[in-house]
Amino acid sequence: MSEAPWLALPENIRHLQLPAFAWQPFFLMMPVAMASAIEHVGDIYTVGAVAGKDFAQEPGLHRTLLGDGLACFMGAFISGPPVTTYSEVTGA
């Protein structure tokens, strides 16, 4: 172990490949993204009705959706748990 290099490539690197881009996963996840967006809009209107404030106008639905999207992105970026809004939690 004392003679092993700190960083090294495998001796046979022929089996390594560059990552490939494919559109199919995007199409498969679109229904999930649409369901989350619809759920988020419902949450904003429900919380606004309970609080007596129109959150769709102030701070704005576009800002709350952006915040939810950034939270999901950051959660995935740091390998955290999934982040989303849930209507069941709003009802609780």
Side-chain angles (χ1 to χ4, degrees), residues 33-44 84-88 90:
M34 288 174 30
S36 293
I38 292 168
E39 194 173 68
H40 176 85
V41 171
D43 290 342
I44 294 301
T84 187
T85 56
Y86 290 102
S87 299
E88 303 89 72
T90 304

Side-chain angles (χ1 to χ4, degrees), residues 34-87:
M34 288 174 30
S36 293
I38 292 168
E39 194 173 68
H40 176 85
V41 171
D43 290 342
I44 294 301
Y45 281 106
T46 302
V47 171
V50 171
K53 184 178 177 188
D54 189 5
F55 292 113
Q57 292 297 320
E58 181 62 36
L61 194 56
H62 62 289
R63 288 188 177 123
T64 61
L65 279 168
L66 177 64
D68 195 24
L70 289 174
C72 291
F73 173 77
M74 286 306 296
F77 185 73
I78 62 172
S79 299
V83 180
T84 187
T85 56
Y86 290 102
S87 299

